[in-house]
Protein backbone atom coordinates (compact mmCIF):
# COMPACT_ATOMS: atom_id res chain seq x y z
CA UNK A 1 0.00 0.00 0.00
CA UNK A 2 1.20 3.52 -0.71
CA UNK A 3 0.19 6.97 0.51
CA UNK A 4 0.44 10.12 -1.56
CA UNK A 5 2.53 12.76 0.20
CA UNK A 6 2.87 16.47 -0.44
CA UNK A 7 5.82 16.81 -2.86
CA UNK A 8 6.92 20.28 -1.69
CA UNK A 9 7.21 19.35 2.00
CA UNK A 10 7.63 15.55 1.96
CA UNK A 11 9.27 15.00 -1.45
CA UNK A 12 12.78 15.12 0.06
CA UNK A 13 11.89 12.37 2.52
CA UNK A 14 10.34 10.26 -0.26
CA UNK A 15 13.47 10.71 -2.37
CA UNK A 16 15.50 9.07 0.40
CA UNK A 17 13.82 5.75 -0.47
CA UNK A 18 16.27 5.58 -3.35
CA UNK A 19 19.00 4.79 -0.80
CA UNK A 20 21.14 2.85 -0.45
CA UNK A 21 22.68 4.04 -3.67
CA UNK A 22 26.26 4.13 -4.81
CA UNK A 23 28.02 7.25 -3.68
CA UNK A 24 30.90 8.89 -5.48
CA UNK A 25 33.47 11.51 -4.57
CA UNK A 26 33.78 14.52 -6.87
CA UNK A 27 37.08 16.38 -6.75
CA UNK A 28 37.66 19.85 -8.14
CA UNK A 29 40.42 22.43 -7.66
CA UNK A 30 39.58 25.93 -6.42
CA UNK A 31 41.25 29.12 -7.62
CA UNK A 32 43.65 29.03 -4.63
CA UNK A 33 44.90 25.62 -5.76
CA UNK A 34 43.16 23.46 -3.15
CA UNK A 35 41.44 20.30 -4.33
CA UNK A 36 38.05 19.88 -2.67
CA UNK A 37 36.28 16.51 -2.40
CA UNK A 38 32.50 16.23 -1.96
CA UNK A 39 30.34 13.17 -1.35
CA UNK A 40 27.81 12.87 -4.17
CA UNK A 41 24.81 10.58 -4.48
CA UNK A 42 23.24 12.33 -7.46
CA UNK A 43 25.36 11.22 -10.38
CA UNK A 44 24.81 9.23 -13.55
CA UNK A 45 26.41 8.13 -16.78
CA UNK A 46 24.58 9.76 -19.67
CA UNK A 47 26.23 8.62 -22.94
CA UNK A 48 28.41 5.80 -24.35
CA UNK A 49 29.67 7.66 -27.46
CA UNK A 50 31.21 9.90 -26.40
CA UNK A 51 31.34 8.60 -22.84
CA UNK A 52 29.67 11.20 -20.62
CA UNK A 53 28.65 11.64 -17.01
CA UNK A 54 26.53 14.13 -15.05
CA UNK A 55 26.48 15.22 -11.41
CA UNK A 56 23.96 17.36 -9.57
CA UNK A 57 25.47 19.84 -7.10
CA UNK A 58 23.62 22.12 -4.66
CA UNK A 59 23.96 25.77 -5.68
CA UNK A 60 25.21 26.71 -2.19
CA UNK A 61 27.88 23.98 -2.13
CA UNK A 62 31.48 24.97 -2.60
CA UNK A 63 32.07 22.73 -5.68
CA UNK A 64 29.24 24.51 -7.51
CA UNK A 65 31.33 27.68 -7.38
CA UNK A 66 34.56 25.79 -8.15
CA UNK A 67 33.23 23.85 -11.14
CA UNK A 68 31.59 26.95 -12.64
CA UNK A 69 35.09 28.49 -12.69
CA UNK A 70 37.33 25.47 -13.31
CA UNK A 71 35.01 23.78 -15.82
CA UNK A 72 36.37 20.34 -14.94
CA UNK A 73 36.20 17.71 -12.21
CA UNK A 74 37.05 14.13 -11.28
CA UNK A 75 34.44 11.54 -10.32
CA UNK A 76 35.87 8.76 -8.13
CA UNK A 77 33.89 5.62 -7.35
CA UNK A 78 34.96 4.23 -4.01
CA UNK A 79 34.62 0.76 -2.53
CA UNK A 80 31.82 -0.06 -0.11
CA UNK A 81 34.32 -0.48 2.73
CA UNK A 82 35.45 3.12 2.18
CA UNK A 83 31.94 4.56 2.53
CA UNK A 84 32.35 5.39 6.24
CA UNK A 85 35.70 7.05 5.64
CA UNK A 86 34.61 9.18 2.72
CA UNK A 87 31.17 10.04 4.10
CA UNK A 88 33.04 12.75 6.03
CA UNK A 89 33.47 14.63 2.76
CA UNK A 90 29.71 15.08 2.87
CA UNK A 91 29.46 16.42 6.41
CA UNK A 92 31.57 19.58 6.29
CA UNK A 93 32.34 22.23 3.72
CA UNK A 94 35.76 22.58 2.16
CA UNK A 95 35.51 26.37 1.96
CA UNK A 96 37.83 26.81 4.95
CA UNK A 97 39.36 23.38 5.49
CA UNK A 98 41.46 21.06 3.38
CA UNK A 99 39.39 17.86 3.56
CA UNK A 100 41.95 15.79 1.63
CA UNK A 101 44.73 16.73 4.07
CA UNK A 102 42.53 16.22 7.14
CA UNK A 103 41.57 12.74 5.98
CA UNK A 104 45.12 11.99 4.78
CA UNK A 105 43.66 10.84 1.46
CA UNK A 106 46.28 9.54 -0.95
CA UNK A 107 45.92 11.30 -4.30
CA UNK A 108 47.95 11.82 -7.45
CA UNK A 109 47.71 14.41 -10.19
CA UNK A 110 45.19 13.70 -12.90
CA UNK A 111 46.16 13.66 -16.53
CA UNK A 112 44.48 16.19 -18.86
CA UNK A 113 42.79 18.31 -16.19
CA UNK A 114 44.01 20.21 -13.12
CA UNK A 115 42.65 18.03 -10.34
CA UNK A 116 43.65 14.87 -8.49
CA UNK A 117 42.74 11.17 -8.61
CA UNK A 118 41.96 9.16 -5.48
CA UNK A 119 44.60 6.45 -5.43
CA UNK A 120 42.55 3.82 -3.61
CA UNK A 121 39.24 4.32 -5.44
CA UNK A 122 37.79 1.60 -7.68
CA UNK A 123 37.85 4.03 -10.57
CA UNK A 124 38.43 7.69 -11.38
CA UNK A 125 36.87 9.52 -14.33
CA UNK A 126 38.48 12.63 -15.78
CA UNK A 127 35.69 15.01 -16.74
CA UNK A 128 35.99 18.32 -18.58
CA UNK A 129 32.69 20.20 -18.38
CA UNK A 130 30.40 20.29 -21.42
CA UNK A 131 27.12 21.73 -20.11
CA UNK A 132 25.44 23.23 -17.07
CA UNK A 133 21.73 23.10 -16.32
CA UNK A 134 19.97 24.75 -13.38
CA UNK A 135 17.43 22.45 -11.76
CA UNK A 136 15.76 24.05 -8.73
CA UNK A 137 18.29 24.44 -5.94
CA UNK A 138 20.89 22.25 -7.72
CA UNK A 139 22.93 22.60 -10.87
CA UNK A 140 23.59 19.66 -13.19
CA UNK A 141 27.07 19.56 -14.64
CA UNK A 142 27.49 17.23 -17.61
CA UNK A 143 30.95 16.33 -18.77
CA UNK A 144 32.77 14.17 -21.27
CA UNK A 145 34.86 11.36 -19.79
CA UNK A 146 38.21 11.88 -21.49
CA UNK A 147 40.11 9.38 -19.39
CA UNK A 148 39.23 6.55 -17.00
CA UNK A 149 41.55 5.03 -14.38
CA UNK A 150 40.67 1.65 -13.00
CA UNK A 151 42.05 -0.19 -9.98
CA UNK A 152 44.18 -2.97 -11.44
CA UNK A 153 42.86 -5.46 -8.83
CA UNK A 154 39.43 -5.06 -10.47
CA UNK A 155 40.47 -5.35 -14.09
CA UNK A 156 39.83 -9.11 -14.19
CA UNK A 157 36.50 -8.91 -12.31
CA UNK A 158 34.80 -6.26 -14.43
CA UNK A 159 33.99 -7.58 -17.92
C1 LIG B 1 25.50 10.27 1.13
C2 LIG B 1 25.57 11.71 0.71
C3 LIG B 1 25.25 12.06 -0.59
C4 LIG B 1 25.30 13.40 -1.01
N1 LIG B 1 25.01 13.71 -2.29
C5 LIG B 1 25.12 15.00 -2.72
C6 LIG B 1 24.87 15.34 -4.10
O1 LIG B 1 24.60 14.49 -4.94
N2 LIG B 1 24.97 16.65 -4.44
C7 LIG B 1 25.29 17.63 -3.56
O2 LIG B 1 25.37 18.81 -3.94
N3 LIG B 1 25.54 17.34 -2.25
C8 LIG B 1 25.47 16.06 -1.82
N4 LIG B 1 25.70 15.74 -0.51
C9 LIG B 1 26.01 16.83 0.43
C10 LIG B 1 27.46 17.31 0.36
O3 LIG B 1 28.36 16.22 0.27
C11 LIG B 1 27.79 18.14 1.63
O4 LIG B 1 26.92 19.23 1.71
C12 LIG B 1 29.22 18.59 1.69
O5 LIG B 1 29.54 18.89 3.03
C13 LIG B 1 29.49 19.80 0.86
O6 LIG B 1 30.85 20.17 1.08
P1 LIG B 1 31.53 21.33 0.24
O7 LIG B 1 30.90 22.61 0.62
O8 LIG B 1 32.98 21.22 0.50
O9 LIG B 1 31.24 20.99 -1.12
C14 LIG B 1 25.67 14.41 -0.08
C15 LIG B 1 26.02 14.06 1.24
C16 LIG B 1 25.97 12.74 1.62
C17 LIG B 1 26.36 12.37 3.04
Amino acid sequence: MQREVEAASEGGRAMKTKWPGQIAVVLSRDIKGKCNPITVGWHMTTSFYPPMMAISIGKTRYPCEIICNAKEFIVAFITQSQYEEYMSYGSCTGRNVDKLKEQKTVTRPASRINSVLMDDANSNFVCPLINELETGDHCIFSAEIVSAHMNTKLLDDVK
Side-chain angles (χ1 to χ4, degrees):
M1 200 167 76
Q2 299 197 339
R3 179 166 60 90
E4 186 175 7
V5 296
E6 180 55 45
S9 58
E10 291 273 55
R13 196 156 69 98
M15 277 182 215
K16 286 186 182 159
T17 57
K18 103 179 187 61
W19 298 107
Q22 185 175 21
I23 59 163
V25 175
V26 169
L27 302 119
S28 51
R29 194 183 293 276
D30 70 13
I31 45 171
K32 293 183 196 140
K34 181 176 69 186
C35 252
N36 183 59
I38 175 181
T39 310
V40 162
W42 293 358
H43 55 78
M44 63 175 172
T45 42
T46 61
S47 165
F48 274 132
Y49 306 107
M52 292 183 72
M53 194 172 265
I55 54 171
S56 181
I57 304 292
K59 287 180 184 168
T60 59
R61 312 258 195 256
Y62 192 34
C64 196
E65 192 181 312
I66 300 177
I67 295 168
C68 282
N69 280 315
K71 311 231 176 290
E72 56 190 25
F73 53 89
I74 298 290
V75 180
F77 286 103
I78 55 178
T79 63
Q80 223 160 359
S81 60
Q82 294 168 322
Y83 272 26
E84 197 82 0
E85 190 180 347
Y86 294 126
M87 226 24 135
S88 66
Y89 293 160
S91 57
C92 73
T93 178
R95 280 182 194 278
N96 305 311
V97 295
D98 189 330
K99 294 193 239 179
L100 290 177
K101 266 199 190 135
E102 276 194 351
Q103 198 73 22
K104 297 189 177 64
T105 309
V106 183
T107 61
R108 66 198 154 89
S111 56
R112 307 180 67 167
I113 73 168
N114 187 18
S115 186
V116 292
L117 310 173
M118 286 176 74
D119 241 1
D120 58 355
N122 276 344
S123 52
N124 284 273
F125 294 91
V126 178
C127 298
L129 186 69
I130 301 287
N131 269 313
E132 299 170 33
L133 173 71
E134 283 193 29
T135 57
D137 57 6
H138 278 55
C139 190
I140 294 177
F141 296 104
S142 79
E144 185 171 347
I145 300 169
V146 292
S147 172
H149 300 250
M150 210 172 151
N151 186 321
T152 49
K153 284 187 211 134
L154 290 174
L155 281 175
D156 289 337
D157 298 342
V158 182
K159 301 289 175 213

